[in-house]
Amino acid sequence: MTVHEKTDSAAGQDGAARRGARAPARARRRHAVARFWRQYRSHRGGVFGLAVLTVIAVLALAAPLLAGEESRSVTDATGGALEEPSGEFLLGTDQFGRDVLALLLWGTRVSLMVGLLAAFLSVAIGALVGITAGHFKGWYATVVMRVTDWFLVMPTLVLAIALSTVLARSLWTTILAIGVTTWPTTARLVRAQTLAVESRPYIERARALGGGHGHIMSRHVLPNVMPLVLAQTTLVISLAILTEATLAFLGLGDPTVVSWGGLLQDAREAGAVSAGNWWYIAPPGLAIALVALAFTLCGRAIESVLNPKLGVSR
């Protein structure tokens, strides 16, 4: 056997050994996912919320096929101003003659995108602050938590309005405004969980074996706080969607895109409230409430599965 053949044989054996070592870990993960799904299915509210979110996500992805690009254009509108629901326009038209149902479908994409990205930014900031404050302690934790407390006592909506007013009006401004004002609750929850994790004996053993700050936080603390972060994310998404709708209703959203909050703001400007044009006002408001409720139900169910001590009702 040549040197190259021996090298290839040794490399193949090493690869097989690594795959064999990872197989039990993959099996444990599959078992954990299956167990989580079995417990999650027992929560009727969580299943209902997941079903609603699945339908809404499919509608959002299919909006270009169901509504078409031209449905958002004022110049391409085919209906009359504020027509009542009919066979042609199931939810009536807006003041420009556009189909409200088509606008509602397009608004689904924007509202979900803003909610997901803003929640990701908020939870990422909160998790980073919470883990580092719980790990390093001392003066760093004191300063960081006092800043967190300041954000907690300040009204989130007021801070978001201030940022949206100062910065350019765009979707990214809305995402930034929501993300940097809603992280303190996540930070305090993650810090409390980090302190509990770092009091366990295996953390001391990891330090004694030479584990550095990065190793302990990434390999030991982060996996233990991820369930809490996941549950918190679903709750923050509903808050982000409501905040985005509020900002758009106040005229602080991106005027070039269609969102549920923007539809409510357009309906208010068109006088739909005083004229009783319910088909223009009710659908986006109900959509906002339904999505927020669905995310909240999913978040509560995830919390109950990951932490049965909470005793969340099914």
Side-chain angles (χ1 to χ4, degrees):
M1 181 179 292
T2 63
V3 175
H4 291 294
E5 290 175 342
K6 291 181 179 179
T7 303
D8 293 340
S9 177
Q13 292 175 358
D14 291 341
R18 285 195 295 269
R19 288 193 296 271
R22 289 196 294 265
R26 289 196 296 268
R28 287 195 298 269
R29 285 195 291 269
R30 287 195 298 268
H31 179 69
V33 171
R35 185 175 65 251
F36 172 84
W37 175 239
R38 285 196 304 269
Q39 295 176 356
Y40 184 91
R41 285 186 302 176
S42 65
H43 294 263
R44 287 170 294 183
V47 173
F48 171 77
L50 183 61
V52 170
L53 293 179
T54 301
V55 172
I56 290 176
V58 171
L59 292 176
L61 293 175
L65 300 176
L66 298 175
E69 294 283 348
E70 69 281 356
S71 60
R72 296 179 296 176
S73 174
V74 176
T75 57
D76 295 333
T78 58
L82 296 175
E83 288 186 10
E84 294 187 3
S86 62
E88 183 180 3
F89 303 107
L90 297 180
L91 292 180
T93 63
D94 66 356
Q95 70 269 37
F96 304 111
R98 298 178 296 179
D99 188 357
V100 173
L101 179 59
L103 296 177
L104 194 68
L105 291 175
W106 281 108
T108 305
R109 296 168 66 93
V110 174
S111 295
L112 286 182
M113 184 189 73
V114 172
L116 291 171
L117 293 179
F120 176 79
L121 177 60
S122 172
V123 171
I125 296 173
L128 178 63
V129 171
I131 291 176
T132 55
H135 176 78
F136 290 107
K137 305 179 181 66
W139 65 268
Y140 172 80
T142 302
V143 173
V144 168
M145 296 315 296
R146 294 297 77 76
V147 174
T148 303
D149 291 339
W150 182 83
F151 273 95
L152 277 174
V153 299
M154 290 293 293
T156 299
L157 183 59
V158 173
L159 291 176
I161 290 174
L163 286 175
S164 299
T165 304
V166 173
L167 302 177
R169 292 171 60 185
S170 68
L171 282 181
W172 298 110
T173 297
T174 302
I175 292 170
L176 180 64
I178 298 173
V180 300
T181 56
T182 57
W183 59 266
T185 302
T186 303
R188 295 198 69 86
L189 292 173
V190 171
R191 179 176 181 267
Q193 184 69 11
T194 301
L195 292 174
V197 170
E198 296 221 352
S199 64
R200 296 172 183 172
Y202 65 83
I203 298 294
E204 293 297 329
R205 289 195 293 267
R207 290 196 179 98
L209 292 173
H213 297 298
H215 173 82
I216 292 174
M217 286 189 290
S218 62
R219 296 297 183 89
H220 298 292
V221 176
L222 183 60
N224 283 281
V225 303
M226 277 306 295
L228 175 65
V229 170
L230 175 62
Q232 184 66 14
T233 300
T234 58
L235 298 176
V236 174
I237 291 174
S238 62
L239 174 62
I241 291 175
L242 290 172
T243 306
E244 184 276 331
T246 303
L247 293 176
F249 179 75
L250 295 175
L252 299 175
D254 189 346
T256 63
V257 300
V258 177
S259 68
W260 291 336
L263 287 176
L264 290 175
Q265 199 260 352
D266 291 341
R268 180 182 61 84
E269 288 185 346
V273 178
S274 58
N277 300 325
W278 60 267
W279 63 88
Y280 197 3
I281 304 170
L286 291 175
I288 293 170
L290 182 61
V291 171
L293 175 62
F295 273 113
T296 301
L297 291 175
C298 290
R300 296 302 183 191
I302 292 173
E303 276 187 323
S304 179
V305 171
L306 298 178
N307 187 4
K309 295 181 181 179
L310 290 176
V312 178
S313 59
R314 298 181 180 184

